[in-house]
Amino acid sequence: MSKSLMGKYLFVLMLALFLVLAACGGDDEEGAEDPEEGSEGTEETEEQEEEEEEEEEAVDPEDQVYDVDDFPLVTSNDGEPIDGGHLNFGLVSDTVFEGTLNYNFYSGNPDAQILQFLDEPLLRMDPDHNYNNEGAATFEADEEEGSITFTIRDDVNWHDGESLTAEDWVYAYEVIGHPEYTGVRYGTVGFTLIEGMQEYHEGEADSISGIEIHDEKSFTINYERLTPSLLSGGIWTYALPKHIFEDIPVAEMEESEYVRENPIGIGPFKVESIVPGESVEYTKNEDYWEGEPNVDGVTLRVINPNVVAQELSTGGVDIVNSFPADQIAENLDMQNVEWLGDIEGSYTYIGFKLGDWDAENGEVNYQGDDMKMGDVELRRAMWYAVDNDRIGENFYNGLRWNATTLITPWHEVYHDESIETPTHDTEEANRILDEAGYEDVTGDGYRETPDGEELVINFASMSGGDSAEPIAQYYIQAWDEVGLNVELIDGRLLEFNQFYDRVGQTGEDDPEIDIYQGAWSVGSDVDPTGLYGRTQIFNFPRYASEENDRLLDEGVSEEAFDLEYRQEVYSEWQELMVEEIPVFPTLYRAALYPANERVTNYDISRYGTEWHEIGVTEEEPVVE
């Protein structure tokens, strides 16, 4: 067992011991010496001072707390990229990638990491998460008419040489809105607000009346109304090559060879070959609309989190999509590697199962009080029981920290830091449970339900890096300390694909799961409907209420073009979720990314990475 992992396990054990002692301890005995105070009349010698200074200098880097602002966003190597260079990219995962390699159908982040090299959105975004006209297409919104007109550049082509047309972009809307569509993209306002989309989606019309193609490169979408969400992420910006997919039934597209084996896009690199679940070889797209890429090819390989540091230190990979936060401190001095850092639009959370998915009606079947976790006071007590600041400091060296609301600081304009949320307080957790009627009737140390029935809470959590197991065990121990019997589902952590399948990604909710630990990367638009809306399959807690519906609707209303109004709406929504607690956030995140020093033009800011610009200044990865 590594020193880092051993330390994390010891933290869990020591914290558990501390909680027990705190529960049993009383006032200090009279006359006990205060360890914060020295003996009266003594002085430190120079030798003692030197020893203390040496001890301070010898602080274990794994005990340091870091600030993401101290790290750059862009690699400092300003050398000229060499001709014929090759980039090695590590997709850090403890499981294979699924291989749904088309933006219109994929659902998991590992597949998105593969897609970023071969395809791209037609509209780009500015640092404030709003669309601009600097991408492969431009747009013009007409608020009076409630429409947006799009124009594609003349020099944008598919990898097979065919010109990308307005018909291709519209075809993506037609496929996603189709009644037999098997993916997860449909349901946001970018689709549902289009005139005629509902009739088309329900099979009552053969075309979408609100979309009008003008010529080979331009078309207009007419909406029932425009909302601020459309211009900050709501528009679907990925085309689908009609000349390839039009002869494939919509229900079979996701499993077709052009999604699984021979994906096609407009991005800077073409797929040369795929080893399913393991690796992808790319060659440069010499016809890329922004210019020929600086490297001739890219090799993407799945790298287990346990060996990612070794792969970087030996030059096996140049850059990675992520680096295990629990391994960063011990690797910050890695030779020939530069570390970049930025705040993430992500958070981890504990979710409570409050219903299931109604596939027939395409919406949440919220059951509330009929579910094991239906009592909001039980959920509130479980939030108070955990110490997320300690988790952030001890497992992530301060690069993750206690989360408060479900709108992260990454959306700075909308995150309401004034809202009071439960923070670690074991005494308060016990008080809430006592008052709610959860008592230890049998004397076995665990509380029963208010009806006197046994309460065993089944907990699903994902496998991952070194910290996944000890963090899951910490939460279990923290809840144990307030008398709640929480057990890992199947007695183990679940791998990525299995985890999301069982919590409901496919529409089938595992009835054995009561709570789960998940994570979300939020979209450019602050609108949380895609995760917590009544008709959204990603609403894994299966929560719904009229107040939630109202606030989510108001957040994307015409009135919400007024910034202050929209801020007030999302402040109310954050407060509602703190009151209702279908989930509670645990940690906000910062991320550090290592890059071999031979890499140039690598920018990790959310809209900064231009893969065609990345180059290398040495033929082989630098290794000392």
Side-chain angles (χ1 to χ4, degrees):
M1 181 179 291
S2 70
K3 177 183 176 184
S4 174
L5 183 54
M6 176 64 78
K8 309 310 180 187
Y9 270 110
L10 287 175
F11 162 68
V12 173
L13 294 175
M14 290 300 293
L15 182 57
L17 178 60
F18 168 78
L19 291 169
V20 172
L21 292 174
C24 299
D27 295 333
D28 289 340
E29 291 184 6
E30 185 176 351
E33 183 177 345
D34 185 349
E36 295 296 322
E37 298 178 1
S39 301
E40 185 177 348
T42 62
E43 293 183 358
E44 290 186 336
T45 65
E46 290 186 13
E47 183 177 349
Q48 288 174 315
E49 291 176 354
E50 290 176 0
E51 289 177 352
E52 290 176 358
E53 289 176 1
E54 290 177 0
E55 289 177 1
E56 290 178 1
E57 293 175 358
V59 172
D60 190 330
E62 294 180 33
D63 295 329
Q64 294 282 355
V65 175
Y66 300 97
D67 187 337
V68 69
D69 292 334
D70 295 335
F71 297 86
L73 291 170
V74 185
T75 49
S76 59
N77 181 358
D78 58 1
E80 186 69 23
I82 63 171
D83 293 332
H86 193 91
L87 185 74
N88 298 304
F89 182 91
L91 196 171
V92 181
S93 175
D94 66 343
T95 186
V96 298
F97 59 79
E98 183 177 323
T100 305
L101 303 181
N102 186 288
Y103 277 114
N104 296 276
F105 299 100
Y106 93 99
S107 58
N109 181 261
D111 287 346
Q113 296 298 322
I114 298 169
L115 283 166
Q116 66 184 329
F117 293 100
L118 70 99
D119 205 3
E120 63 182 39
L122 289 162
L123 296 180
R124 294 209 174 143
M125 286 189 156
D126 62 27
D128 293 325
H129 320 307
N130 296 311
Y131 288 123
N132 59 32
N133 284 324
E134 298 177 7
T138 61
F139 74 97
E140 184 176 352
D142 186 331
E143 291 189 30
E144 289 187 8
E145 294 293 329
S147 65
I148 303 177
T149 297
F150 304 92
T151 304
I152 302 167
R153 292 172 53 114
D154 290 334
D155 54 354
V156 182
N157 299 318
W158 293 105
H159 288 160
D160 61 3
E162 292 288 330
S163 177
L164 187 148
T165 66
E167 198 168 328
D168 292 326
W169 198 348
V170 170
Y171 188 56
Y173 279 91
E174 292 173 343
V175 168
I176 292 173
H178 196 278
E180 295 182 4
Y181 171 67
T182 58
V184 296
R185 301 275 86 87
Y186 187 80
T188 63
V189 294
F191 293 100
T192 59
L193 284 182
I194 297 175
E195 291 180 359
M197 178 60 86
Q198 182 175 349
E199 292 82 359
Y200 176 77
H201 181 64
E202 294 177 353
E204 298 174 358
D206 295 330
S207 61
I208 306 168
S209 62
I211 300 181
E212 177 185 1
I213 296 178
H214 305 301
D215 53 42
E216 185 176 330
K217 291 289 184 176
S218 67
F219 68 100
T220 295
I221 299 180
N222 298 289
Y223 297 89
E224 295 174 3
R225 68 177 191 281
L226 293 187
T227 81
S229 289
L230 287 172
L231 303 182
S232 60
I235 297 168
W236 185 247
T237 58
Y238 298 96
L240 189 66
K242 188 172 182 178
H243 67 283
I244 288 178
F245 284 89
E246 63 181 337
D247 293 329
I248 304 172
V250 172
E252 299 175 15
M253 287 182 179
E254 185 173 344
E255 300 300 325
S256 71
E257 66 168 302
Y258 300 107
V259 171
R260 299 289 180 167
E261 301 169 20
N262 298 301
I264 187 172
I266 62 169
F269 296 96
K270 304 177 182 180
V271 170
E272 181 73 14
S273 63
I274 299 174
V275 177
E278 297 181 11
S279 65
V280 181
E281 290 287 346
Y282 305 87
T283 57
K284 68 179 177 181
N285 175 16
E286 297 179 359
D287 193 33
Y288 180 57
W289 70 274
E290 276 200 293
E292 188 174 330
N294 279 327
V295 295
D296 282 355
V298 176
T299 297
L300 178 149
R301 291 190 294 122
V302 172
I303 305 296
N304 191 284
N306 294 328
V307 299
V308 62
Q310 179 183 349
E311 287 281 354
L312 283 158
S313 65
T314 60
V317 293
D318 295 306
I319 57 178
V320 292
N321 70 299
S322 66
F323 193 91
D326 53 5
Q327 298 180 35
I328 287 175
E330 61 189 283
N331 288 292
L332 279 176
D333 59 352
M334 194 184 307
Q335 293 293 313
N336 305 307
V337 167
E338 180 177 18
W339 288 86
L340 312 178
D342 196 10
I343 293 176
E344 284 190 346
S346 304
Y347 62 93
T348 50
Y349 68 97
I350 299 295
F352 301 93
K353 280 296 187 177
L354 303 175
D356 54 24
W357 181 251
D358 181 350
E360 182 177 350
N361 294 306
E363 65 179 26
V364 163
N365 176 28
Y366 174 67
Q367 300 177 47
D369 292 341
D370 293 334
M371 299 293 288
K372 186 186 296 185
M373 308 309 299
D375 186 348
V376 69
E377 295 307 311
L378 173 60
R379 305 196 295 271
R380 194 181 316 280
M382 293 183 75
W383 192 349
Y384 271 110
V386 298
D387 189 346
N388 291 310
D389 275 324
R390 291 288 296 276
I391 292 288
E393 291 176 6
N394 283 276
F395 287 93
Y396 300 108
N397 298 88
L399 295 173
R400 296 186 185 181
W401 60 96
N402 181 57
T404 53
T405 77
L406 295 181
I407 292 180
T408 76
W410 188 74
H411 282 117
E412 184 178 1
V413 174
Y414 298 101
H415 172 67
D416 190 343
E417 60 184 17
S418 71
I419 296 174
E420 293 187 10
T421 62
T423 52
H424 182 236
D425 189 334
T426 303
E427 184 176 338
E428 178 66 5
N430 278 314
R431 184 195 67 78
I432 292 171
L433 290 169
D434 289 343
E435 291 190 1
Y438 293 88
E439 300 178 356
D440 180 9
V441 177
T442 63
D444 64 353
Y446 291 114
R447 299 173 184 268
E448 277 69 45
T449 69
D451 295 328
E453 298 177 356
E454 181 183 30
L455 178 61
V456 178
I457 300 171
N458 295 316
F459 177 33
S461 191
M462 274 186 291
S463 60
D466 286 350
S467 66
E469 179 75 29
I471 288 178
Q473 292 299 331
Y474 160 72
Y475 284 125
I476 290 172
Q477 180 63 43
W479 291 321
D480 184 272
E481 292 301 327
V482 296
L484 296 176
N485 186 6
V486 180
E487 299 178 351
L488 281 177
I489 193 82
D490 299 341
R492 59 181 175 82
L493 300 183
L494 305 178
E495 61 90 17
F496 179 88
N497 293 322
Q498 184 186 32
F499 173 86
Y500 278 109
D501 284 348
R502 292 180 68 172
V503 297
Q505 180 171 271
T506 63
E508 295 288 336
D509 298 83
D510 187 335
E512 296 300 315
I513 295 176
D514 301 314
I515 66 173
Y516 63 96
Q517 180 180 204
W520 286 126
S521 292
V522 298
S524 54
D525 181 33
V526 67
D527 175 26
T529 299
L531 301 179
Y532 300 104
R534 184 184 294 269
T535 62
Q536 302 302 310
I537 199 167
F538 288 134
N539 180 346
F540 294 145
R542 308 312 188 200
Y543 165 77
S545 71
E546 291 183 1
E547 182 67 1
N548 185 53
D549 294 342
R550 180 186 70 81
L551 291 171
L552 293 180
D553 286 344
E554 288 187 4
V556 294
S557 65
E558 293 183 37
E559 291 82 1
F561 276 107
D562 179 274
L563 179 60
E564 290 187 6
Y565 177 86
R566 202 177 197 209
Q567 286 174 316
E568 291 176 4
V569 168
Y570 287 128
S571 179
E572 285 185 49
W573 183 80
Q574 289 170 82
E575 289 184 4
L576 174 68
M577 298 304 266
V578 171
E579 294 169 3
E580 296 285 298
I581 319 178
V583 310
F584 68 80
T586 54
L587 297 169
Y588 295 141
R589 301 181 177 190
L592 299 190
Y593 297 89
N596 191 285
E597 291 180 348
R598 78 179 187 129
V599 176
T600 184
N601 300 329
Y602 180 38
D603 183 345
I604 66 164
S605 59
R606 188 164 179 87
Y607 304 112
T609 301
E610 299 280 1
W611 291 111
H612 73 291
E613 293 183 351
I614 290 182
V616 294
T617 54
E618 300 288 342
E619 185 66 34
E620 296 295 335
V622 178
V623 180
E624 290 185 357

